Amino acid sequence: MRSGIFKTYKGMNKDGVRFNRRMITFLFCMLISVFIWLLMALSKDYVIRVTFPVKYVNMPKDKLISNHLPQQMVLELKSSGFNLLNYKFKQQRETVLIDINDARFVSHNNYYIRSTNQLDKLTDQFESEVKVVSIFPDSIFINYNKKVSKRVPVKANISLDFDDQYQMADSVQIEPKFIEISGSSDVLSKIDSVQTAPVNLKKVSSTVFIKMEILKSPEYGQLELSHTSVQAKINVTKYTEAVQELSVEVENLPLGLMLKTFPDKVSVKYQVAFDDYGKINGSDFRVAVDYSKIEQGSNKLKVMILRSPKQVRSVKLSNDKVEFIIRKK
């Protein structure tokens, strides 16, 4: 009994092996057939439409294009299937070049380029087996304006947050300080300066060198800049606080009178760079009250800072008002 079952199973197993071999042979032949069919199909010529980015070359130096030119063109390409597959499925397509010198005069500052006249030039930009048979749009219209230039200052748009006791030693130094801008006269008449893109610096405690991009506002259209960025230098130094005691002087005092203030001296407090600390003394400052500013019924006068050295900042008085008495000499 067992022997019969084994013989039956063995016969079925042989039939299965023969079936699998026939199936594999069939699939292999089918794959070869499909491959041969693809080779034959792709060797034939086809025409496909492909969109390409456009770059315009040989722009006139003394003119400005005032209208919007197409930034993409649809080209009909003719070639074998092998060659066209590369253009059909390629994600990053080559930029096609349009020569502005081929523009023909229409009237005044208006010109146009007939796309059909560009077929040979565009075909030359592709592989030898690829031919451009048509282009959309079929015409490109160009409006020119006269280009003018002017020199304008660059303003740094920068926000600084200094670490404790550190401050900017002087103004932000820009190089170059001026740039040349070119465009239509209508646009340039509205521009007196250009600004950099905003920059924020935190916890600054040393001199900073930074490249700053010049901000080109969209409303300015096709504005050309001689520089797209500038170099900025910010001198940073450490400051300390210092105090000087000064005698209060009197301004505009009439002859024959004497004015005495109480107190007769005030303290002036200021911040100064460490490097300049020893260079500053009391004689560099001058404080005074003005006799002509006396108000009726008041016995106080405002103390004014008439002079302070340029190296100091944040100058403050211990008393901004003092009492006074007037006597005859």
Side-chain angles (χ1 to χ4, degrees):
M1 181 70 176
R2 289 182 179 178
S3 176
I5 293 172
F6 178 75
K7 288 180 180 179
T8 302
Y9 173 77
K10 189 174 181 180
M12 291 174 63
N13 191 40
K14 288 181 179 180
D15 291 340
V17 170
R18 284 195 294 270
F19 174 78
N20 287 339
R21 286 178 178 174
R22 286 197 298 270
M23 179 61 69
I24 291 171
T25 302
F26 172 76
L27 291 175
F28 180 72
C29 292
M30 180 176 286
L31 286 173
I32 291 176
S33 299
V34 170
F35 180 71
I36 293 172
W37 176 82
L38 280 174
L39 288 177
M40 294 176 63
L42 291 175
S43 63
K44 296 179 181 179
D45 283 348
Y46 297 90
V47 175
I48 63 170
R49 286 190 171 189
V50 184
T51 302
F52 290 90
V54 179
K55 180 180 179 181
Y56 298 91
V57 296
N58 295 323
M59 307 281 282
K61 294 182 179 180
D62 60 337
K63 294 179 181 178
L64 186 73
I65 295 176
S66 59
N67 64 313
H68 179 73
L69 301 182
Q71 298 303 301
Q72 291 184 328
M73 299 188 78
V74 178
L75 306 184
E76 281 194 343
L77 306 179
K78 181 179 181 180
S79 187
S80 68
F82 288 108
N83 293 325
L84 295 179
L85 279 175
N86 181 46
Y87 296 101
K88 187 66 176 177
F89 299 106
K90 195 173 184 180
Q91 295 294 325
Q92 191 72 26
R93 296 193 175 111
E94 295 87 352
T95 299
V96 295
L97 306 179
I98 299 294
D99 192 344
I100 293 293
N101 280 337
D102 293 333
R104 296 183 178 181
F105 177 76
V106 178
S107 64
H108 192 46
N109 289 323
N110 301 317
Y111 292 75
Y112 78 98
I113 298 175
R114 179 72 69 182
S115 298
T116 52
N117 296 337
Q118 298 286 311
L119 289 176
D120 291 339
K121 285 189 174 182
L122 289 174
T123 297
D124 291 341
Q125 297 178 37
F126 292 89
E127 299 173 10
S128 57
E129 298 86 0
V130 178
K131 183 179 181 180
V132 179
V133 294
S134 68
I135 306 170
F136 181 83
D138 60 356
S139 296
I140 300 172
F141 295 94
I142 304 170
N143 299 326
Y144 283 124
N145 274 337
K146 185 178 179 181
K147 185 191 293 184
V148 294
S149 301
K150 68 187 280 189
R151 194 165 174 260
V152 294
V154 180
K155 294 183 178 180
N157 185 0
I158 187 166
S159 175
L160 299 169
D161 176 39
F162 294 97
D163 207 348
D164 292 343
Q165 289 190 286
Y166 288 91
Q167 291 290 333
M168 192 162 57
D170 48 30
S171 59
V172 178
Q173 299 175 28
I174 300 292
E175 184 59 39
K177 296 179 181 179
F178 293 83
I179 67 167
E180 190 173 271
I181 59 175
S182 302
S184 67
S185 56
D186 291 342
V187 172
L188 262 61
S189 64
K190 303 173 185 177
I191 304 174
D192 296 320
S193 63
V194 292
Q195 281 197 342
T196 64
V199 173
N200 295 311
L201 300 177
K202 303 290 186 182
K203 297 293 182 182
V204 179
S205 60
S206 61
T207 296
V208 176
F209 296 87
I210 186 171
K211 180 181 179 181
M212 304 185 73
E213 300 295 327
I214 293 177
L215 196 62
K216 189 176 178 182
S217 301
E219 64 267 23
Y220 291 154
Q222 296 179 347
L223 190 67
E224 296 179 7
L225 310 176
S226 62
H227 295 74
T228 57
S229 64
V230 294
Q231 295 292 332
K233 180 183 179 183
I234 305 153
N235 289 316
V236 177
T237 188
K238 193 172 185 179
Y239 278 76
T240 187
E241 193 171 77
V243 178
Q244 299 284 348
E245 191 175 57
L246 308 174
S247 297
V248 180
E249 301 177 19
V250 181
E251 293 280 296
N252 299 315
L253 183 65
L255 293 174
L257 293 180
M258 181 181 69
L259 187 149
K260 183 174 177 59
T261 64
F262 299 94
D264 60 351
K265 291 184 178 182
V266 294
S267 295
V268 60
K269 186 185 295 184
Y270 55 91
Q271 289 187 340
V272 61
F274 268 88
D275 294 342
D276 294 326
Y277 181 82
K279 302 175 185 177
I280 307 298
N281 55 58
S283 62
D284 296 319
F285 297 87
R286 184 167 172 252
V287 296
V289 294
D290 190 344
Y291 177 87
S292 65
K293 302 291 184 182
I294 295 176
E295 296 179 358
Q296 188 173 1
S298 175
N299 67 336
K300 289 187 177 182
L301 276 172
K302 182 177 177 63
V303 182
M304 302 174 295
I305 301 173
L306 301 182
R307 185 178 68 228
S308 63
K310 64 180 182 180
Q311 298 99 315
V312 304
R313 59 181 60 191
S314 302
V315 182
K316 296 179 182 178
L317 294 169
S318 58
N319 299 79
D320 61 349
K321 286 187 177 182
V322 291
E323 295 182 350
F324 66 92
I325 59 171
I326 301 172
R327 295 177 181 174
K328 291 184 179 180
K329 289 184 179 179

